[in-house]
Amino acid sequence: MITVLIVDNNTEFLRATARHLSSGKKFKVLCARSEDEAVKSLGTGAIDLVLANYDFPTTGGIALMNRLKADGIDVPVVFYARQVRKKMITEAIKAGAEFVLQLSDEPGAQFLELQTLIEELIHRRQVEDIQKRAADDLRAIVTQNADAIVVVDNKGTIQFVNPAAESLFNLSEEDMIGKMFGFPIILSEPVEVYVLREFRKFVAAEMRVVEVQWQGKPSFLVSIRDITWHVQLEEELSTARERLEAEAVDRSKDLLKAYQSIRDEVNERKNAEHALRESERKYRQIVELAQEGIWVVNKSGIIQFVNPRCAEMLGYTPEEMIGRLMYNFIDSSFISAQRAIMERRKQGLKESYDCILSKKDGSKLLAIANAAPILDNEGNYIGAMAMYTDITTRKKYEEDLKEAKSQVELYLDLMGHDIRNLMQIGIGYMELATDSQDMAEMKGLMAKSLESMRDTSQIIDNVRKLQDTSKITEMKPVNLCDILARLQTQYAMVGDRDVSVNLRTVPDCMVKANDLVTDVFSNLLNNSLKHSDPDKPLIINIKVDRIREKGKMYLRCEVEDNGPGISNWMKDKIYMRFQRGDTKAHGKGLGLHIARTLVEEYGGKMWVEDRIPGDYHQGAKFVIVLQAA
Amino acid sequence: MAGETSQSETVKEWDLKIYVAGETPKSRDAIANLRKVCEEYLKDRYSIQVIDLLKNPRLAAEDQIFAVPTVVRKLPEPLKKLIGDLSATEKVLVGLDIKPKV
C-alpha cells in the first residue's frame, strides 16, 4: 500500500483526489492543508510520496522542497499545477522534485496517469534505495577492510585505493590515484612482496590479484595484506626453532653426557656390587665352611643366621634354628649366665667364655664362645654374633687327663707309701729270717715276709682293678646269685674261723655289670672277716631282692655281719682312698673305694647302714643296688 | 648488487631494471628468474640493472616504486612495470610484452 500525502489548501480538490487515488485500494491518502501540517505528517516516516500544489498559496512548492531538505526529509515529491511552465519544471526538478504534473480537465484520465506515475516513481525510488544501500554496503566493505585494496587498470595505473591502502603505502588517495602501480602478476596463490612504506622501510605483504570490471573497463583488484607480524612471527619461530634445536642438541649432548655418566656410575656400581658379592661369597664360604659354629641373633635374641657347622654341632638343620629364640639351644644350667652375657653384648662388649649348649638329643655340648655385638651406623645395638668351638671332646680329654693324673698320683702314692711300706716290712722279716738260726722262727718270719709280699701283690692287683674300672665301656648281664653262691662257699671255709654265710636270693638274678662285680662282694666279705673278732663266730647274711624304682627294675643286695660295725662318722669316709676302718685290721685301703667305684660305674648305688638301726656296734650292713639286666 | 648491469654497457634493445630490497633469498630468486627469462627470450638483446632500494633508497622515486620486486621496462617504450612473482614465466612475458620465439 503506497501512502501519499497531498498538500493543498483546496479542500474540494483534496477530497476528490483522495477519493480517486484510494479507490483502487493501492493507495492510502493523507491530506495536509499547510506546510507545517505536511512536515508533521512526513515526520512519522510513513509517507511514500508527496503530491503538492506547486502554487501553494502561502509559500509555493519550492519553499516546501527547501523545507523538506532542511528537515532531512527525503521523500519523492510530485508537483501539480494548472499551468505548468518550462521554468517551473526546471526549478522544481532542480529543487529535487520528481515530476511536475499539469492538471487537466479530464480528472479520470489524469488520476489514472497520476496513479501510474506514482507507482513508477515509488518503484524507481525503491530500486534507487536498494542500489544505494548496496553501494553503501560495498563501500563499507572496501573502506572498512583491513586489507589494502588497489584497483589498477590494464596498464597498471591506479584507479582506486581504500583507506587501508593509504595507510599501508603511507600515501594519500590523491598521491596514488593515476600513478603507475605496475602490472600485477596474477597467480592462484598469494605472492609475497615488500611494500615501500618509507625511506628504506619495507613492509612484508601478501598480494592477491583478481580481474574485475571497474567503471566498465577490465581492471585488476589488488588486495595487499600486511604480513609483517606473520613474517616476524615466522622469523621468531624460525629463530625459536633454531634455538630450540640448538638447545635440543645441547640438551641431547647433556643428556648423553648424563647418560654416559649414569652408565659409568651404573657400571661402577655393578662392579662394586660384583666385588661385594664376590667378597660376600668368599666370606659366606668362610662362614659356611668354618669348623666353628656361627650364629647371629637380633636384639631380641632371635636367631637370624646359623652356619651349617653350628646346626650340625647341635643336631639341627639351619631351618629348625632360624627364627627361634637362642635360649632354646642353651643348656638350662647355663641360661642365667647366658642372660648376663647378653646384657654385656647390649653394652657393646665382646668376650670369650665357656658355655654349655643343648643339643637336639638333649645332651650337652661344651663350647668356647667368641661373641661380639652388632651395631648399626649410629652405634645402636641391633644384635650379636657368636662363634662356638666344640670343646666337649677336649673337656673329656681334660677330665681323662685329670683322672689319669689322679691315677698316676695314686700309683705314686701307692708306690711311695703302701707298697714301699709292705716291701720294707717284707724285707725286714726276710732280714730277720736270714739272721735267725731257729728253723721254726725262720719259717715264721718268712711266712710273715710272704704275707707282706702277698699284700703288696694285692695292692698292685687292686690298683690294676682300679685302673680297669675306669676303662669300663661295656657291661653285660651277670648272674649275681651265682657269684654270691660261689663266694658263700669260699668264705664259709676260711681257716679255722667259725664263719657262717647265709644267702637268700631271688629266681631272676641277672644284673648289668661285668666280671669285676665279684670283687665288690668279695671285698665286703673280706672286710667282714678282717674286721671281726677272730675269737667269735662270724655270721654274714646276704639277701637279694628285686625292687622297682622310678619304673626301672633293680636288684637290691644286702650284706650284713655281726662284726664291730662302722661308726656314723666313718660311714662316708670308708670309701675314701687309704682310709681304714675303726678296727686295727690290716687293710690295703682301696677295697671299698674300688667297690663303690665299680658299683657306680654299673649305674648302681652302694652305702652302709647299721645292722641294728641306731646301734652300730651290732654290725654293719652294706647295701648294693644294681640295675637288673 | 645495486646498479649492477649484466651484458655489455652498450644500449640494448631491452633495457630492464629490477628493484629489490636487500640481498635476500627472495631477491636472488627474483633476479635469477628475470635473467632466465631474458636469456631464453631476449638473448643478447637485453640489459638488466639491479637496484637494491636498501642501499639506494632514493632511486625508488625515479620510477615511482610502490613495492618490490618490481621490474621496469625502460626500453622499448612505452614504460611498463611488472610487480609480483617472477617465477611465472608466461605472466612475465605477458607483463613485459615479450613475444615468445616462434
Side-chain angles (χ1 to χ4, degrees):
Chain A
M1 176 100 40
I2 298 172
T3 305
V4 178
L5 176 70
I6 307 174
V7 183
D8 203 331
N9 61 351
N10 185 331
T11 309
E12 194 178 318
F13 180 78
L14 280 174
R15 246 194 304 226
T17 308
R19 188 173 62 247
H20 279 284
L21 283 179
S22 52
S23 65
K25 309 285 184 207
K26 284 187 187 177
F27 296 93
K28 180 180 172 187
V29 180
L30 301 174
C31 301
R33 288 180 178 77
S34 67
E35 188 181 293
D36 290 336
E37 205 175 304
V39 170
K40 189 177 174 187
S41 293
L42 284 164
T44 63
I47 310 294
D48 293 313
L49 185 134
V50 173
L51 187 62
N53 185 348
Y54 190 86
D55 298 320
F56 202 63
T58 52
T59 56
I62 300 301
L64 176 65
M65 286 302 304
N66 291 337
R67 176 79 186 271
L68 294 180
K69 268 190 196 171
D71 290 350
I73 297 170
D74 182 19
V75 175
V77 176
V78 172
F79 286 112
Y80 61 86
R82 288 273 174 210
Q83 295 288 332
V84 174
R85 297 171 295 281
K86 195 174 175 185
K87 185 180 173 194
M88 180 196 294
I89 296 172
T90 307
E91 285 176 355
I93 298 299
K94 248 178 139 176
E98 299 290 336
F99 198 80
V100 180
L101 181 69
Q102 178 161 335
L103 292 176
S104 71
D105 295 327
E106 293 178 27
Q110 181 116 71
F111 285 116
L112 198 62
E113 184 189 352
L114 183 61
Q115 282 175 3
T116 305
L117 177 64
I118 290 172
E119 284 174 355
E120 202 177 293
L121 286 173
I122 295 300
H123 176 70
R124 195 171 70 191
R125 179 57 73 95
Q126 284 173 348
V127 168
E128 280 174 3
D129 283 345
I130 290 170
Q131 284 176 343
K132 186 167 177 296
R133 271 201 300 276
D136 286 342
D137 291 344
L138 286 170
R139 183 168 290 107
I141 289 170
V142 170
T143 55
Q144 300 298 321
N145 201 320
D147 290 346
I149 295 175
V150 177
V151 178
V152 299
D153 63 14
N154 58 2
K155 291 186 175 58
T157 306
I158 296 174
Q159 304 298 308
F160 169 82
V161 295
N162 71 342
E166 290 177 281
S167 174
L168 180 65
F169 290 98
N170 201 23
L171 294 169
S172 67
E173 185 183 9
E174 292 74 27
D175 289 335
M176 293 181 75
I177 299 289
K179 300 291 192 309
M180 183 175 283
F181 179 76
F183 182 81
I185 297 175
I186 304 172
L187 295 176
S188 57
E189 294 168 1
V191 171
E192 195 173 305
V193 296
Y194 288 85
V195 171
L196 180 60
R197 233 175 149 260
E198 290 172 11
F199 191 75
R200 269 206 188 106
K201 187 169 178 193
F202 290 86
V203 171
E206 228 171 44
M207 184 175 82
R208 289 179 176 81
V209 182
V210 292
E211 292 183 64
V212 296
Q213 284 285 320
W214 184 263
Q215 294 175 347
K217 296 176 189 170
S219 303
F220 301 99
L221 190 147
V222 183
S223 169
I224 307 169
R225 178 176 294 173
D226 185 348
I227 58 168
T228 310
W229 66 272
H230 182 67
V231 168
Q232 275 177 359
L233 196 62
E234 274 188 358
E235 284 173 6
E236 282 173 14
L237 277 171
S238 177
T239 306
R241 189 167 49 242
E242 284 170 11
R243 193 172 65 242
L244 275 172
E245 282 174 358
E247 278 181 18
V249 167
D250 288 341
R251 190 85 182 120
S252 296
K253 283 182 188 166
D254 290 344
L255 283 172
L256 188 63
K257 266 190 212 166
Y259 166 72
Q260 282 171 345
S261 173
I262 289 171
R263 198 177 58 181
D264 290 343
E265 197 179 311
V266 165
N267 284 339
E268 204 178 301
R269 193 168 287 190
K270 274 188 185 169
N271 290 339
E273 281 177 2
H274 177 74
L276 189 65
R277 269 200 301 275
E278 191 58 29
S279 174
E280 190 195 31
R281 187 186 66 79
K282 282 181 191 165
Y283 283 112
R284 182 173 285 278
Q285 213 171 29
I286 291 170
V287 167
E288 297 287 337
L289 299 178
Q291 289 303 302
E292 290 74 24
I294 300 170
W295 75 23
V296 175
V297 299
N298 65 9
K299 60 182 181 182
S300 302
I302 307 291
I303 295 174
Q304 305 296 301
F305 167 79
V306 60
N307 74 340
R309 175 65 185 139
C310 184
E312 183 197 5
M313 279 163 60
L314 297 175
Y316 292 94
T317 64
E319 291 74 28
E320 286 176 315
M321 294 181 69
I322 290 172
R324 292 185 65 191
L325 199 58
M326 60 176 281
Y327 293 103
N328 288 319
F329 308 98
I330 303 293
D331 188 73
S332 56
S333 63
F334 197 73
I335 285 185
S336 297
Q338 184 67 42
R339 288 194 196 283
I341 287 166
M342 292 309 292
E343 286 304 312
R344 291 198 288 279
R345 288 298 80 69
K346 291 174 185 174
Q347 303 303 318
L349 301 171
K350 51 184 177 183
E351 64 182 315
S352 295
Y353 55 91
D354 288 359
C355 63
I356 308 173
L357 303 177
S358 178
K359 297 169 74 166
K360 189 173 183 179
D361 61 6
S363 62
K364 300 180 185 186
L365 184 140
L366 305 176
I368 291 179
N370 284 293
I374 299 174
L375 307 175
D376 64 14
N377 291 339
E378 282 80 39
N380 300 316
Y381 174 76
I382 57 171
M385 189 193 81
M387 188 184 294
Y388 295 100
T389 305
D390 185 353
I391 58 169
T392 310
T393 307
R394 195 181 80 184
K395 277 285 186 192
K396 186 173 178 309
Y397 290 158
E398 283 177 358
E399 293 295 330
D400 289 348
L401 192 61
K402 205 164 138 185
E403 179 64 24
K405 183 169 175 257
S406 162
Q407 286 190 352
V408 165
E409 285 170 357
L410 167 65
Y411 301 152
L412 285 173
D413 283 341
L414 287 170
M415 295 298 290
H417 183 260
D418 282 24
I419 294 176
R420 186 159 58 91
N421 285 344
L422 287 169
M423 288 301 292
Q424 278 179 347
I425 292 169
I427 291 168
Y429 279 129
M430 284 303 292
E431 285 174 349
L432 286 173
T434 305
D435 291 336
S436 175
Q437 300 297 318
D438 185 40
M439 189 61 72
E441 187 187 46
M442 194 190 301
K443 264 186 163 178
L445 287 169
M446 286 176 70
K448 284 184 178 161
S449 177
L450 181 62
E451 191 182 337
S452 188
M453 281 183 225
R454 282 193 178 123
D455 286 343
T456 303
S457 175
Q458 182 65 50
I459 289 173
I460 292 170
D461 197 35
N462 284 345
V463 167
R464 185 186 57 74
K465 282 180 188 173
L466 191 60
Q467 196 178 25
D468 282 346
T469 61
S470 66
K471 291 181 186 171
I472 287 177
T473 55
E474 281 185 20
M475 288 189 290
K476 62 181 181 181
V478 174
N479 194 324
L480 182 64
C481 295
D482 287 351
I483 292 169
L484 291 173
R486 278 200 302 275
L487 288 174
Q488 179 192 38
T489 307
Q490 180 183 340
Y491 280 85
M493 300 178 348
V494 176
D496 51 358
R497 287 285 307 271
D498 180 5
V499 178
S500 298
V501 179
N502 303 313
L503 179 62
R504 196 198 78 190
T505 62
V506 291
D508 185 359
C509 259
M510 301 304 288
V511 295
K512 287 182 186 174
N514 59 17
D515 294 335
L516 293 178
V517 74
T518 306
D519 288 313
V520 173
F521 291 95
S522 171
N523 188 274
L524 292 179
L525 292 173
N526 202 36
N527 282 340
S528 291
L529 193 66
K530 189 169 61 182
H531 294 288
S532 62
D533 188 347
D535 296 328
K536 289 182 179 173
L538 175 65
I539 299 172
I540 300 173
N541 295 321
I542 303 174
K543 188 168 75 169
V544 179
D545 290 303
R546 284 181 74 85
I547 61 168
R548 181 183 287 274
E549 240 181 63
K550 292 181 183 176
K552 287 176 82 170
M553 292 304 298
Y554 295 88
L555 262 69
R556 178 188 163 101
C557 184
E558 293 176 356
V559 180
E560 64 176 32
D561 62 24
N562 61 346
I566 300 171
S567 61
N568 290 334
W569 76 276
M570 277 298 291
K571 281 186 171 66
D572 291 331
K573 296 180 181 56
I574 56 174
Y575 299 105
M576 291 166 65
R577 277 180 359 208
F578 309 123
Q579 182 65 47
R580 283 166 170 75
D582 294 320
T583 69
K584 294 178 182 173
H586 193 57
K588 290 33 173 210
L590 274 176
L592 285 176
H593 175 74
I594 292 171
R596 185 153 138 174
T597 303
L598 279 171
V599 167
E600 286 174 353
E601 287 295 324
Y602 297 147
K605 290 184 285 188
M606 179 174 171
W607 68 91
V608 65
E609 298 172 356
D610 298 329
R611 186 174 68 87
I612 304 297
D615 185 5
Y616 73 89
H617 294 100
Q618 300 299 318
K621 176 164 72 175
F622 281 87
V623 181
I624 295 172
V625 176
L626 295 170
Q627 293 183 74
Chain B
M1 189 194 284
E4 167 192 332
T5 308
S6 64
Q7 305 261 322
S8 65
E9 290 295 332
T10 56
V11 176
K12 296 290 182 180
E13 184 185 337
W14 290 76
D15 182 15
L16 304 170
K17 285 184 186 174
I18 178 167
Y19 289 83
V20 294
E23 292 183 26
T24 64
K26 289 194 187 298
S27 302
R28 282 193 283 270
D29 287 345
I31 295 165
N33 288 332
L34 181 63
R35 280 197 213 285
K36 184 180 161 202
V37 169
C38 290
E39 268 302 299
E40 188 172 343
Y41 295 96
L42 302 172
K43 192 167 174 59
D44 298 328
R45 295 188 290 141
Y46 71 94
S47 67
I48 297 174
Q49 187 180 4
V50 177
I51 299 170
D52 184 350
L53 291 180
L54 281 181
K55 292 181 181 175
N56 297 283
R58 293 183 203 286
L59 296 179
E62 188 178 301
D63 284 323
Q64 287 182 336
I65 302 301
F66 288 91
V68 295
T70 293
V71 176
V72 176
R73 189 188 80 174
K74 287 287 203 186
L75 293 175
E77 289 182 350
L79 184 86
K80 279 191 180 290
K81 264 190 194 175
L82 194 62
I83 183 168
D85 186 356
L86 302 182
S87 65
T89 304
E90 293 298 322
K91 309 283 185 180
V92 173
L93 293 177
V94 169
L96 294 178
D97 203 13
I98 296 172
K99 302 230 176 354
K101 292 181 287 192
V102 175

